[in-house]
Amino acid sequence: MISTPRPDRFGLGLAALGRPAYINVGRTDALPAHRTAEAMREHTGRVLDAAYERGIRWVDAARSYGSAEEFLAGWLGERGHQGITVSSKWGYAYVAEWRIETEVHEVKEHSVERLREQWAQTRELLGDRIDLYQVHSLTPESPLFDDLALQHELARLRDSGVRLGFSTSGAAQAEAIERAWELEIGGKQLFSAVQSTWNSLEPSAGRALTEVHHGGWRVLVKESLANGRLAVNPPELLARVAARHGATPDAVALAHVLAQPWADVVLVGPADVAQLDSNLAAASVSLDATDLGELAALTRDPATYWGERSALPWH
């Protein structure tokens, strides 16, 4: 029997809260009727308050999550909470200008100029509260792997005391993790943390994540509900396991992630407090070997999974 996970293994991701449009399924009805910046700020504050009350002490943002860093900075300033680990990401710029319907929502660029610009913006908002700064969506073909100037700029940030990491996306997550593991500047690894997608449908990065976890890296898991698809449209097999436990599909899908010993922080991305509570019910779901064997059958081909994800609409 898998032991019940501790509450401090959960983190709150702000991708679905910091901007009016995102790709998560099941998000629309949970948000304010009018998604103005002020309405979303207040709504985000309520979710942050609830997460804190329930024991969550890790919050993850990104420069491209609209006003997520600004909302988080304001909340931290108002509440005065200490002991909260804050992570954020650079590399994508939010360009939607608070529009729900627009051709482009974010633009990716891994360059020295983008790092300097966005680190300054992050520091202006969050000061020294940043515990982990991550390259957003590192892929095997990222220019970072060949850009020595960018690597040395990151190393200067690392040597100033900021922990560095990266997130991964796409069918080649494992390859990106393996390449990043080999990056050394000044005789030290450039990175010491990774945030990857791992869920019941897309577990392909599991072996690579196991290896870097054993090597001392902090491992964060994102998109553990497949952008809401495992909660709103769960596969029949997942629904059967959930029914057997008297639990919701999202709780079982998250318990599946929590059962992975290398998963240090499992990020949840609720759009409101009700979704947060439903997600956190995973802490009371104990999956046995039979459950885990059945859930393993949900695995999709990575290329198919990521193709379906890329087709999700912003709404």
Side-chain angles (χ1 to χ4, degrees):
M1 187 73 70
I2 303 299
S3 60
T4 301
R6 306 183 313 273
D8 61 4
R9 287 185 66 198
F10 289 106
L12 179 67
L14 300 182
L17 293 168
R19 51 194 165 181
Y22 189 49
I23 62 174
N24 276 13
V25 179
R27 171 179 183 268
T28 302
D29 292 340
L31 297 176
H34 301 289
R35 299 180 214 169
T36 64
E38 186 54 35
M40 291 295 287
R41 180 195 304 274
E42 293 176 0
H43 185 76
T44 300
R46 287 191 289 273
V47 178
L48 284 164
D49 282 339
Y52 187 84
E53 291 167 2
R54 288 150 180 75
I56 290 180
R57 295 294 183 268
W58 191 301
V59 183
D60 184 71
R63 287 301 308 154
S64 63
Y65 292 175
S67 297
E69 286 187 340
E70 180 185 346
F71 293 170
L72 175 57
W75 179 79
L76 287 169
E78 291 169 3
R79 299 295 186 266
H81 294 314
Q82 300 300 316
I84 294 178
T85 301
V86 174
S87 55
S88 195
K89 296 180 282 292
W90 71 274
Y92 275 97
Y94 178 68
V95 297
E97 298 181 345
W98 212 258
R99 294 188 296 264
I100 295 177
E101 295 183 5
T102 186
E103 185 174 344
V104 179
H105 290 265
E106 54 188 15
V107 176
K108 182 179 181 180
E109 179 185 315
H110 289 167
S111 68
V112 171
E113 294 76 18
R114 176 61 60 82
L115 170 61
R116 289 171 178 163
E117 173 191 28
Q118 294 197 316
W119 174 242
Q121 293 167 338
T122 296
R123 281 296 298 258
E124 182 178 1
L125 289 168
L126 289 160
D128 60 0
R129 297 299 298 263
I130 291 292
D131 299 284
L132 172 64
Y133 207 51
Q134 304 157 102
V135 184
H136 201 161
S137 192
L138 189 65
T139 58
E141 62 274 11
S142 169
L144 180 147
F145 288 111
D146 299 309
D147 189 336
L148 290 180
L150 176 55
Q151 292 176 20
H152 281 279
E153 187 74 10
L154 283 165
R156 281 192 285 273
L157 194 58
R158 176 202 64 191
D159 294 341
S160 73
V162 178
R163 187 171 192 168
L164 296 183
F166 59 95
S167 70
T168 62
S169 295
Q173 288 189 107
E175 182 182 348
I177 295 166
E178 290 163 0
R179 290 199 69 184
W181 175 264
E182 299 297 329
L183 277 179
E184 291 189 1
I185 299 293
K188 297 186 295 184
Q189 283 186 310
L190 188 58
F191 302 113
S192 59
V194 59
Q195 180 180 147
S196 293
T197 293
W198 193 99
N199 58 56
S200 302
L201 301 176
E202 216 305 54
S204 64
R207 181 174 178 179
L209 294 172
T210 299
E211 291 175 354
V212 298
H213 172 80
H214 287 158
W217 282 16
R218 176 67 62 91
V219 174
L220 291 78
V221 180
K222 65 182 176 73
E223 299 182 9
S224 45
L225 293 177
N227 299 102
R229 286 174 285 167
L230 291 174
V232 176
N233 301 304
E236 182 180 348
L237 192 156
L238 175 60
R240 286 205 307 268
V241 175
R244 189 160 68 232
H245 283 270
T248 55
D250 61 309
V252 170
L254 282 163
H256 190 193
V257 184
L258 289 162
Q260 311 309 310
W262 45 260
D264 297 306
V265 179
V266 178
L267 297 170
V268 293
D272 66 5
V273 175
Q275 289 185 5
L276 173 67
D277 286 337
S278 184
N279 292 172
L280 297 187
S284 63
V285 177
S286 295
L287 301 175
D288 60 22
T290 298
D291 297 322
L292 295 174
E294 291 184 23
L295 293 171
L298 292 172
T299 299
R300 306 287 300 279
D301 171 71
T304 300
Y305 174 89
W306 288 99
E308 293 172 348
R309 183 193 181 281
S310 68
L312 293 173
W314 289 75
H315 59 277

